[in-house]
Amino acid sequence: MRYHALVPAAGSGSRMGGQDGAALPKQYLPLAGRPMIWHALATLCATPAIASVFVVLAPEDIHWPAPMMESLGPKLRVLRCGGETRAASVTGGLRAMASEPGASGDDWVLVHDAARPCLTVALVEKLIAEVGNDDAGGLLAVPVADTLKRGDERGYVLQTVPREGLWQAQTPQMFRHRLLLDALDFAPSVTDDASAIETLGLSPRLVAADASNLKVTWPRDLQLAERILQNRGPE
Ligand code: CTP
Ligand code: MG
């Protein structure tokens, strides 16, 4: 069995506040001394089971720091085929991968957001081990701990939503290459890869992760991610 990582990194990070066109896209913001995207790529390249790491950039991206990324070694490959949405970027990446040497439709693809810099090799290995041979694939996720409220537009509680059985989906999410491409063609407007697989009637495996694998979405997430990385020290 062969495993590849696919990292969509063609977003602009509008919720980080960079809408003025001058600010850096979120994945390139400085974090613990490196551009944010470097951290997830370094973890994926350092995972022995992963044969290659494909990163999907926007075609017009001028921020990719090619010289720094060379130090991550020969597993890393750059695809400049990002799209309008995350799903379009992943789909474009899967198509481009198919024409690269050393990738086939039966291979596993671990899709991971560039905006989750605190991923560890141990979590990647746990995902691979727990999904095993299950063709429905799987994803890292965290059981919901807080009580959940549904609110109205004015900010008042409509109801309490039972949290039993609810999980927050993270990445990586791993599926066989051909199946994920078919699923995204069938359901192109999903916000994560597992949702596309679910529309085919399959049930991906939920693999328990922890909150340290957070997605940097809002400005304050950046400081939290920085503290997590710094407490860990160099790998
Ligand atoms: N992404 C992508 N192509 C897009 C949109 C998003 O490759 N058209 C990537 C982002 O670069 C990120 C991941 O998908 O690594 C998760 O998306 P998100 O956290 O929503 O990032 P952005 O879309 O950049 O942020 P925002 O939604 O706040 O604009
Ligand atoms: Mg987005």
Side-chain angles (χ1 to χ4, degrees):
M1 270 190 286
R2 217 165 19 187
Y3 302 91
H4 308 281
L6 180 63
V7 178
S12 61
S14 56
R15 286 170 289 180
M16 288 298 292
Q19 301 122 316
D20 56 323
L24 272 176
K26 154 172 98 174
Q27 58 274 25
Y28 295 122
L29 291 175
L31 175 65
R34 305 272 190 180
M36 185 190 306
I37 189 175
W38 183 88
H39 298 280
L41 294 177
T43 297
L44 292 164
C45 288
T47 303
I50 293 188
S52 40
V53 177
F54 295 91
V55 58
V56 179
L57 306 182
E60 68 281 7
D61 187 319
I62 52 162
H63 301 289
W64 174 252
M68 177 194 296
M69 297 301 187
E70 262 159 37
S71 65
L72 294 178
K75 285 188 190 180
L76 188 61
R77 303 207 225 157
V78 178
L79 306 171
R80 292 187 173 268
C81 58
E84 284 294 301
T85 61
R86 181 187 183 280
S89 296
V90 172
T91 304
L94 291 169
R95 286 225 166 78
M97 272 177 74
S99 46
E100 293 277 318
S104 92
D106 290 329
D107 289 352
W108 290 96
V109 180
L110 283 76
V111 184
H112 181 67
D113 291 332
R116 287 188 192 272
C118 303
L119 180 67
T120 60
V121 172
L123 275 180
V124 178
E125 290 179 336
K126 183 178 190 210
L127 175 68
I128 289 174
E130 293 196 19
V131 170
N133 272 324
D134 187 339
D135 281 324
L139 61 146
L140 293 182
V142 182
V144 170
D146 295 333
T147 299
L148 296 177
K149 305 289 184 191
R150 188 182 307 283
D152 64 17
E153 321 73 63
R154 299 172 307 137
Y156 290 89
V157 173
L158 287 172
Q159 62 177 157
T160 298
V161 181
R163 66 166 176 249
E164 282 70 46
L166 289 184
W167 296 66
Q168 284 180 284
Q170 298 183 342
T171 68
Q173 304 198 349
M174 67 178 270
F175 305 99
R176 290 200 191 267
H177 179 281
R178 188 177 305 113
L179 182 74
L180 182 56
L181 191 49
D182 287 348
L184 285 167
D185 278 337
F186 182 69
S189 50
V190 291
T191 55
D192 76 343
D193 312 290
S195 312
I197 300 290
E198 293 153 38
T199 63
L200 302 180
L202 295 167
S203 295
R205 172 87 181 244
L206 290 160
V207 176
D210 63 81
S212 71
N213 182 28
L214 80 161
K215 183 156 77 77
V216 176
T217 304
W218 308 100
R220 75 172 61 137
D221 300 332
L222 207 55
Q223 285 124 51
L224 188 54
E226 181 132 328
R227 278 203 294 274
I228 291 168
L229 290 171
Q230 277 165 350
N231 281 345
R232 248 176 224 163
E235 281 209 20

